[in-house]
Amino acid sequence: MERKGWKMMFKPNELRYFLFHKKICPICHDKLERIVKKDNVGWEHTVSGGKVNMYEYKNYYYCHSCNMEFSLNDLSKRIRKP
């Protein structure tokens, strides 16, 4: 049986946007749909000495009205700062 692992990496502003902000298109102000893309990173060693096939998950958001795809980093940079 193959062992699988996963990881998601966020910058602090991306994590805050992912958890607390509404996902609205910055162009047309329509609701965004979340898309998760899975990339195979390769084999990594664990603390116990075994090998795990690692996958990295990345979040993207798609607007059906504009046909545009936004990364979490793009959306987090467009937040208004008080």
Side-chain angles (χ1 to χ4, degrees), residues 6-77:
W6 61 274
K7 62 181 172 181
M8 294 178 83
M9 298 181 69
F10 294 106
K11 295 177 184 172
N13 59 342
E14 293 174 352
L15 182 62
R16 184 175 54 238
Y17 185 86
F18 180 73
L19 294 175
F20 302 114
H21 289 278
K22 291 185 179 181
K23 305 339 179 244
I24 297 174
C25 179
I27 298 169
C28 70
H29 304 291
D30 201 8
K31 189 175 179 180
L32 295 173
E33 178 186 349
R34 182 175 163 211
I35 299 171
V36 179
K37 295 185 179 179
K38 180 169 99 170
D39 293 329
N40 189 352
V41 178
W43 291 94
E44 291 187 9
H45 294 280
T46 61
V47 178
S48 62
K51 286 173 126 181
V52 176
N53 195 6
M54 293 295 291
Y55 293 93
E56 183 176 9
Y57 291 89
K58 296 180 182 177
N59 292 302
Y60 291 92
Y61 292 90
Y62 181 74
C63 178
H64 290 284
S65 301
C66 311
N67 291 328
M68 297 275 296
E69 188 174 279
F70 301 98
S71 69
L72 194 57
N73 189 21
D74 294 340
L75 292 172
S76 66
K77 286 181 181 178

